[in-house]
Structures are given as structure tokens and as C-alpha cells.
Amino acid sequence: MRVLGIWDGHDAGACIVEDGEIKVAINEERLTRKKLDIRFPVNSIYACLKYLGLKPSDISIVASCGSQFSRVLSRALPFLEDEFYKFRRRLVSKPKFEKFKRVIKYEITRIGSNTALKKITEHQLRKKLKKIGFENPKIYVVDHHLAHAASAIFTSGFEK
């Protein structure tokens, strides 16, 4: 079983896990030369597939995280994320109402996930994956913080 793991937020990237073993992983910034790239990791997905000589149809499952309201909103309105990225990387001058925008951004990030947001996330991901050749992948959306914990556990080398 091959699983394509993707993250499409800050520091975007992709990996392919086969039978529980990480075969390849790469962050989008390594391919776009855009530090902490935040876009959907198309280049990373293609690079992972190419490295293993696979096609999208060779992938059994696509796993992603981030179904909290802020991620759903960013996927629907990418200009919001672009604006924040440029500000965060100091590529633009401070925007008007900077403090207010910062407060709003962090309050929005506090809105967690729920069943409806997971379904919307699945729809958003399916649409983006279809554009790059994935016909009807089985998609699993996991909790963002659980994904962090799992990556630490499964790469630790410990049996327990």
C-alpha cells in the first residue's frame, strides 16, 4: 500500500510511505526556491512520484491534515495566505490595520475542525489532486497536531 502524504500550508511538502516505510519526502521550498512555500505542493508530489517511478494511479491513499477553519478558508481564498506570507517574510511593507489583521488571523486559527470542515477539506483536496492526474483517490484527513505527534513517533526509531 502506498500513501501520498501532503501538507499544503506553511512549509508545504509531500511524501510517499509504502507499507509503513517512508520512501521519499520533499518540501516544496526545495523545488520552488521560495522559503517556507505555502502553496499546494504540486512540485513535491511530482518529484516524489518521479523519484519512485510511479504514476498517480499507483497511489492507494492520499493523507493530509489541516481541516481547521483557517486552512479551509486559505484553500478557498489563496490570496489571504499569499498576503500573509508576503508580510511574514517581510516582502511587503506593514499593511494598514496590521495589529487588527494579526488578531483576526490568530482568532481564526483557534477555530478547530469538525465534520463539515473535514468534508470541505476533502472536496478541496480532491479538486486540486484531480488537476494533477489523480482520478478518484481515497482521501484521509487527519488532525494537524496528531499528524505532528505521529511523525515524531514513527520516525523515532523506538518500538514503543
Side-chain angles (χ1 to χ4, degrees):
M1 177 173 54
R2 293 186 187 106
V3 177
L4 170 68
I6 56 173
W7 168 241
D8 62 337
H10 63 280
D11 211 14
C15 71
I16 294 178
V17 176
E18 186 174 342
D19 297 326
E21 183 181 333
I22 300 168
K23 295 295 185 179
V24 62
I26 188 163
N27 280 16
E28 195 74 356
E29 72 179 18
R30 297 295 175 212
L31 303 167
T32 63
R33 310 302 259 172
K34 185 177 175 186
K35 187 74 176 154
L36 301 172
D37 202 333
I38 58 175
R39 292 296 188 149
F40 188 76
V42 173
N43 298 297
S44 298
I45 293 168
Y46 284 145
C48 287
L49 291 170
K50 184 177 178 181
Y51 182 80
L52 295 175
L54 301 174
K55 304 178 297 291
S57 60
D58 296 323
I59 299 298
S60 309
I61 293 171
V62 176
S64 186
C65 62
S67 59
Q68 65 276 24
F69 182 72
S70 61
R71 286 298 321 131
V72 171
L73 187 62
S74 293
R75 287 183 189 113
L77 305 169
F79 71 89
L80 293 174
E81 200 159 60
D82 288 339
E83 192 177 297
F84 180 72
Y85 175 84
K86 288 175 185 172
F87 168 66
R88 187 169 160 221
R89 300 296 304 152
R90 294 180 176 84
L91 300 173
V92 294
S93 56
K94 288 186 177 186
K96 292 180 180 179
F97 311 111
E98 175 203 353
K99 288 181 184 176
F100 176 73
K101 285 182 175 182
R102 193 178 295 266
V103 167
I104 293 297
K105 186 238 186 254
Y106 285 106
E107 286 304 314
I108 287 173
T109 61
R110 294 176 67 173
I111 302 170
S113 182
N114 59 43
T115 305
L117 290 173
K118 280 188 177 183
K119 289 292 181 194
I120 293 168
T121 296
E122 266 185 55
H123 173 74
Q124 290 172 322
L125 294 174
R126 189 171 306 284
K127 199 169 155 184
K128 290 181 181 197
L129 288 164
K130 188 170 184 154
K131 282 184 181 178
I132 61 171
F134 287 79
E135 285 307 312
N136 193 21
K138 187 180 285 188
I139 297 175
Y140 286 94
V141 178
V142 298
D143 176 76
H144 179 87
H145 294 101
L146 182 61
H148 277 295
S151 67
I153 292 165
F154 291 120
T155 61
S156 70
F158 294 111
E159 288 183 29
K160 291 185 178 181

